[in-house]
Amino acid sequence: MHCGRVTRSGGFQLDRSSLLFEMSMILSASVIRVRDGLPLSASTDYEQSTGMQECRKYFKMLSRKLAQLPDRCTLKTGHYNINFISSLGVSYMMLCTENYPNVLAFSFLDELQKEFITTYNMMKTNTAVRPYCFIEFDNFIQRTKQRYNNPRSLSTKINLSDMQMEIKLRPPYQISMYELGSANGVTSAFSVDCKGAGKISSAHQRLEPATLSGIVGFILSLLCGALNLIRGFHAIESLLQSDGDDFNYIIAFFLGTAACLYQCYLLVYYTGWRNVKSFLTFGLICLCNMYLYELRNLWQLFFHVTVGAFVTLQIWLRQAQGKAPDYDV
């Protein structure tokens, strides 16, 4: 297989991108904020080959999903590997050729992490607004990259030994293309189209941070479920002692308990058709309380229905985390 092109003079010229496939080297690196994918710093010597441009697309896609991925991962994209580690809300990502040693790759990322944490405090990284506001960190990235692209110059054999043992004990998570999705816009296992109610999300889909009202709703829903459960057991005792209570009352109490607990689940976790399920659950709570009208006073009925409506509203307000802004990573 020839890795080049024939020139007009009849000679054979090797492509730079073809040479990269045969060489073992780090090509670029980026520092990205985990929560929203904001690029904080990056190496400025990107190759312009087709393969590298494709990898930049994967960089963007990964940066939007960092909060949903483990803290040490690898994505294999044919001739290139993308490795990254995340710590303290910041991710350190690098692109290297497929034959670059894993232990060197993660040792390189570990050095970037230690230097970045030492140079910049968390307050600065958390409050950063502009992309690449720490672009001066590129100087350290370049120096470190040059060292790691010439392993003979490395003087960190002990550290490499430690990193090798760490990778052996806790190997990086291998991200599949199915999980990531394709650069052509195929939905990945980590993404959700919130406009399409029929699409099922992955278990890794995250919701927006819980608010104080959401926490209050969760506690009130648990309280209503506990009250229904207690009344249900009392109804069973009453039924066993004397046939005064209708068995359907027992069913209504336990259905009310299940509905309240399911509301708690919907408030905490993302599922397909989540909003529809929350309205149906609220409807079940209303039906149960209508049937229990003779056993409860108006204030009790009002409390249970109001809590159900309040929790339904909180479920509707706490949606899945939206797509991160499209920063030019």
Side-chain angles (χ1 to χ4, degrees):
M1 179 178 177
H2 298 292
C3 296
R5 61 180 182 273
V6 178
T7 63
R8 291 183 178 178
S9 60
F12 189 76
Q13 181 178 352
L14 287 174
D15 291 333
R16 183 177 177 84
S17 59
S18 300
L19 285 171
L20 293 178
F21 297 156
E22 298 176 2
M23 298 172 63
S24 172
M25 62 187 301
I26 297 172
L27 303 174
S28 63
S30 296
V31 181
I32 301 168
R33 190 163 62 192
V34 170
R35 75 168 187 263
D36 56 3
L38 178 74
L40 302 175
S41 186
S43 54
T44 55
D45 58 344
Y46 262 114
E47 298 288 336
Q48 297 301 317
S49 64
T50 303
M52 291 288 289
Q53 291 300 319
E54 190 71 16
C55 286
R56 291 193 68 179
K57 295 180 182 178
Y58 291 128
F59 258 63
K60 288 182 180 181
M61 297 173 74
L62 281 171
S63 67
R64 296 167 186 161
K65 304 180 190 306
L66 289 172
Q68 305 160 10
L69 294 169
D71 61 353
R72 179 185 293 164
C73 296
T74 296
L75 173 67
K76 296 184 178 180
T77 63
H79 292 294
Y80 304 102
N81 289 346
I82 298 176
N83 304 297
F84 69 85
I85 60 174
S86 300
S87 177
L88 300 175
V90 178
S91 185
Y92 308 86
M93 191 178 300
M94 57 94 79
L95 175 69
C96 61
T97 53
E98 61 178 335
N99 54 353
Y100 193 78
N102 233 16
V103 63
L104 288 179
F106 284 99
S107 182
F108 168 76
L109 292 174
D110 190 57
E111 281 203 36
L112 295 189
Q113 173 187 315
K114 290 176 180 177
E115 181 66 20
F116 192 85
I117 291 174
T118 303
T119 307
Y120 307 102
N121 59 48
M122 288 184 61
M123 181 65 70
K124 286 186 177 180
T125 58
N126 288 334
T127 57
V129 177
R130 294 182 297 104
Y132 303 106
C133 57
F134 305 120
I135 193 62
E136 67 276 4
F137 189 71
D138 172 54
N139 295 327
F140 180 80
I141 294 177
Q142 297 293 353
R143 293 197 305 269
T144 310
K145 189 176 75 169
Q146 290 173 7
R147 285 175 48 234
Y148 275 83
N149 281 340
N150 184 17
R152 293 180 181 178
S153 67
L154 288 175
S155 58
T156 55
K157 293 182 180 180
I158 297 177
N159 291 339
L160 292 179
S161 177
D162 293 342
M163 179 60 67
Q164 192 167 15
M165 180 61 67
E166 187 177 343
I167 290 176
K168 185 177 180 180
L169 295 175
R170 193 170 67 92
Y173 176 76
Q174 300 290 327
I175 304 173
S176 67
M177 285 298 180
Y178 173 74
E179 290 173 329
L180 181 64
S182 74
N184 295 325
V186 178
T187 303
S188 74
F190 288 104
S191 63
V192 174
D193 184 358
C194 294
K195 296 180 181 177
K199 294 187 178 180
I200 306 294
S201 73
S202 163
H204 297 277
Q205 180 67 31
R206 291 193 173 190
L207 295 169
E208 293 175 350
T211 60
L212 178 61
S213 57
I215 295 172
V216 171
F218 181 86
I219 295 172
L220 289 175
S221 187
L222 282 179
L223 176 61
C224 289
L227 291 173
N228 284 324
L229 188 64
I230 293 170
R231 290 294 300 273
F233 283 120
H234 284 323
I236 292 175
E237 291 178 2
S238 178
L239 182 65
L240 294 175
Q241 292 174 2
S242 63
D243 296 333
D245 278 344
D246 187 352
F247 183 75
N248 291 333
Y249 288 148
I250 299 174
I251 296 176
F253 279 124
F254 283 110
L255 279 178
T257 301
C260 291
L261 294 179
Y262 193 61
Q263 276 197 325
C264 293
Y265 175 83
L266 293 175
L267 191 58
V268 174
Y269 297 103
Y270 190 94
T271 65
W273 299 81
R274 182 166 168 267
N275 289 341
V276 175
K277 290 176 181 178
S278 67
F279 284 114
L280 292 176
T281 305
F282 174 61
L284 179 60
I285 290 173
C286 291
L287 288 175
C288 290
N289 281 279
M290 286 175 61
Y291 192 82
L292 297 171
Y293 179 81
E294 296 181 357
L295 301 181
R296 282 178 169 163
N297 58 43
L298 289 177
W299 286 109
Q300 290 173 331
L301 294 172
F302 177 77
F303 175 74
H304 282 271
V305 173
T306 302
V307 169
F310 179 71
V311 176
T312 301
L313 176 63
Q314 295 307 312
I315 293 171
W316 184 80
L317 292 175
R318 193 186 184 202
Q319 295 298 312
Q321 286 181 344
K323 185 177 172 181
D326 188 12
Y327 301 117
D328 188 17
V329 178

